[in-house]
Amino acid sequence: MNPATTYGFRVNRAGPLALLQDAGRFGVRHLGVTQSGPADLHAWAWANQLAGNRWGSPVLEVTFGGLELQAECDLTIAVTGADLSAKHDTQPLPMWLRIRIGKGERIVFGAPARGLRAYLAVAGGFSAEPVLGSVACVVREKLGGFDGQGQRLAEGDRLTVSMPDCAYTEAVEAPESEQPDYSRPAVLDLLPGAQIADFTGRSLYDAFNCEWRVDDRADRMGVRLTGPALHCRIGSMVSEGISLGAVQVPPDGQPIALLNDRQTIGGYPRLGNLTPLAASRLAQCLPGQSVRLRPTGAEQALRQHRAFIDQVQA
Amino acid sequence: MTHTALPRLESAGIDSWMVRLFETIEENNLLWLSALTHDCEVAFGEALVDLVPSYTTLLVTFDPLRISSWEARKRLADVLHNLVPDDAGGEGELHEIATWYDTSVGPDLERVARLSDMSVESVIKTHSFQEYRVFALGFSPGFAFMGLLDESLTCPRMNTPRQKVPAGSVAIAGQQTAAYPAVTPGGWNLIGRTAARLFDRNREGFSLLKVGDRVRFVSVDRQTFESEGGDPAPAEPAKEETGS
């Protein structure tokens, strides 16, 4: 083990899906390697901010819950994102807050109460050897994670952390306005894309005025939405690169919003792209939850994104 | 709807532009896409995040904290204005991929032969005769879409994809061919297997094949395949109608 790292946690119980995620894997998408990184960029970035880490530090993404960790030394942590009924030993775990946990104490994630994915950052950051420039864990590609082979956390794993630069300071909490209630219906901002005018008028009306239901076919690759069938005059296209948040519409007319682990190229017409914050919000929706799509402009979307980044890098 | 003339810049989110150069798949597209990729690297420098070339397009992703969408668009317009085809670099590297064509590792060989109305030997000859170009990478790391296949071999994707296609499987679908770098699900018709390491995290550049490269499949026997480290374990037969 690197001398600047130490064992921070032992995994007592792994739960269905806990993954190590830094900002993502960049500069290799032309090789067919997916972007990866946190499905909810917003909560992930806040976890690092609260833990006092720099942008991009590796964080645990805990989906559905079920994970139980035991601290192997005194640690400063912050947990953000979904309310997965987490406990600090027997007490409810305070979220969106920098807290201190002692050696031997446990963090226990239960079942989803609000939202789907929680983010646990430790001061100093989790530590793993980057693969293709990133530790972001992609099970399908067998890349990243603590072992470099794309493995999700497993019982008995010991998780290495980097020593924090500075000692614990006072508790810091994220502003209330930055702590979303994921159980409320989501409104997702979408930047219209090049094929939008190829959809029928009726379909465009439906796309932006109907409620969409999050299907149970939803994962880190993409989230399928069910509702009225959308019709596009283009059936399929020559495959081309797909950017984050692209909302593609296959011939069955049911849109799929493509998230971090999407395939790098694809050939269905697209309504456009969810903004990064809208993609984050969608990643917290449980199957059956309802969402709406709202068209937005590039200028407003960029302003909003930059305001968010300014806050988490403050 | 009527679109404006090509090339065209299309919005693809707050951090990306789609540069659409062509409507149809042609080998000559690669000369232009190669030049465009190179010029974008120069024009965007540190602000560049990813470039994804494909058959007719280049997706350009940049850091929206460093440059705005408008600035990115302006740089792309300048690049397009000065773009000249890359006649030299666009030729691409030539790879010979040693392939063991056999019905055990290529369980769809016989069906392909039947659908193409030729013998298995002719399928192998036709597939290995030609030089292919890599048009795009995607689906999984290092998976190269190559074409165009001789029209006599055209065989549709399978209706029921296999859950596990063995690594190294050489396959065809439509007018394209590919080799599976790793075990993944897949719906292409398997006709053989290569021992070549198509994606290797320890290799400089990681992927054996890149967009624009040229590929020739060379027929080898089982012994050669195995001596190169190939795994001869038979592939799962297709669930397709046999047509018999």
Side-chain angles (χ1 to χ4, degrees), chain A residues 26-32 131-132 141-143 148 191 194 197-198 238-241 243 264 273 299 301 305-306 309, chain B residues 1 3 10 12-14 16 18 20 49-51 53-55 57 59 64-65 70 137-138 140-142 199 201 205-206:
Chain A
F26 299 106
V28 284
R29 234 181 293 167
H30 63 290
L31 306 177
V131 181
L132 277 62
E141 294 183 343
K142 300 188 173 66
L143 295 176
L191 269 170
D198 295 309
V238 174
S239 282
E240 56 191 39
S243 45
T264 55
N273 284 75
E299 204 160 329
H305 188 70
R306 285 181 166 170
I309 298 286
Chain B
M1 130 163 223
H3 288 294
E10 302 173 352
I14 65 166
S16 300
M18 182 70 76
R20 190 173 302 283
V49 171
D50 263 298
L51 291 172
S54 189
Y55 304 87
T57 53
L59 177 69
L65 303 180
W70 303 276
L137 268 72
S140 75
F199 193 84
R201 61 175 69 188
F206 312 116

Side-chain angles (χ1 to χ4, degrees), chain A residues 32-277:
Chain A
V33 178
T34 196
Q35 170 178 345
S36 191
D40 180 354
L41 182 77
H42 173 264
W44 169 90
W46 272 109
N48 267 333
Q49 203 275 351
L50 295 169
N53 296 338
R54 62 179 198 289
W55 176 270
S57 295
V59 166
L60 291 185
E61 179 180 279
V62 184
T63 304
F64 301 119
L67 175 72
E68 180 180 321
L69 300 172
Q70 186 154 22
E72 299 208 44
C73 56
D74 293 350
L75 294 166
T76 299
I77 67 165
V79 179
T80 63
D83 175 356
L84 302 178
S85 321
K87 292 206 158 112
H88 176 189
D89 280 336
T90 54
Q91 297 301 307
L93 176 79
M95 295 191 48
W96 301 91
L97 179 71
R98 177 190 298 173
I99 59 167
R100 188 88 176 131
I101 62 168
K103 183 177 176 175
E105 293 173 2
R106 293 171 310 140
I107 302 293
V108 186
F109 291 91
R114 271 186 294 273
L116 186 57
R117 295 177 164 96
Y119 292 85
L120 187 156
V122 57
F126 287 97
S127 170
E129 199 59 46
V131 181
L132 277 62
S134 165
V135 303
C137 185
V138 187
V139 177
R140 182 181 89 239
E141 294 183 343
K142 300 188 173 66
L143 295 176
F146 284 95
D147 68 344
Q149 305 294 324
Q151 295 287 319
R152 63 190 82 196
L153 295 198
E155 188 182 322
D157 283 357
R158 301 181 77 192
L159 312 182
T160 43
V161 301
S162 301
M163 304 293 193
D165 296 334
C166 51
Y168 176 75
T169 54
E170 80 289 2
V172 181
E173 187 175 6
E176 206 146 306
S177 59
E178 290 296 304
Q179 306 181 22
D181 179 353
Y182 302 117
S183 63
R184 299 189 53 199
V187 179
L188 308 174
D189 285 335
L190 180 139
L191 269 170
Q195 290 94 42
I196 189 125
D198 295 309
F199 287 86
T200 61
R202 172 79 213 187
S203 291
L204 287 183
Y205 180 86
D206 287 346
F208 296 110
N209 291 282
C210 290
E211 267 191 12
W212 293 95
R213 203 157 288 278
V214 174
D215 194 69
D216 54 9
R217 286 166 292 176
D219 57 21
R220 287 178 44 85
M221 288 179 77
V223 175
R224 193 178 285 257
L225 303 176
T226 56
L230 303 181
H231 299 287
C232 186
R233 293 180 194 97
I234 307 172
S236 70
M237 312 189 302
V238 174
S239 282
E240 56 191 39
I242 306 175
S243 45
L244 180 72
V247 178
Q248 67 177 23
V249 182
D252 71 0
Q254 303 293 280
I256 304 170
L258 296 165
L259 301 183
N260 295 73
D261 285 3
R262 68 194 178 281
Q263 289 182 4
T264 55
I265 61 173
Y268 291 123
R270 299 175 296 270
L271 283 174
N273 284 75
L274 299 182
T275 64
L277 289 173

